[in-house]
Amino acid sequence: MADESDSRDSGRAGEFEQQAERAAKASTGPIGEFWYFLGRTRKFWMVPILVALLLASLIVVAGGTAVAPLIYALF
């Protein structure tokens, strides 16, 4: 009787450890989670779009700083 409960407990412990490892991999932050999403869904075509949006947002933010004259010279 005790052997059965021990084997069930060890099975639960193994399952718990696997879930904890999966949660640790998934909790790498927003960038890691997005990269995981891209890998799982095979939507790598989104990467260039997001890079372009990121660069455009950096230009907009830098336009309000002391770097603005350099940006205006580019365009």
Side-chain angles (χ1 to χ4, degrees):
M1 196 78 154
D3 293 332
E4 291 177 18
S5 66
D6 288 342
S7 65
R8 279 187 282 164
D9 290 341
S10 65
R12 288 181 186 161
E15 182 181 342
F16 177 75
E17 289 173 0
Q18 289 175 352
Q19 288 179 353
E21 287 176 10
R22 276 186 252 143
K25 289 179 184 176
S27 66
T28 58
I31 296 171
E33 187 172 333
F34 183 69
W35 189 253
Y36 176 76
F37 165 75
L38 290 177
R40 292 286 288 183
T41 59
R42 303 285 188 222
K43 295 189 181 203
F44 290 111
W45 55 268
M46 292 172 55
V47 173
I49 295 169
L50 292 173
V51 168
L53 286 173
L54 179 67
L55 289 175
S57 64
L58 288 175
I59 289 173
V60 168
V61 169
T65 64
V67 184
L70 298 175
I71 294 172
Y72 295 136
L74 292 175
F75 298 105

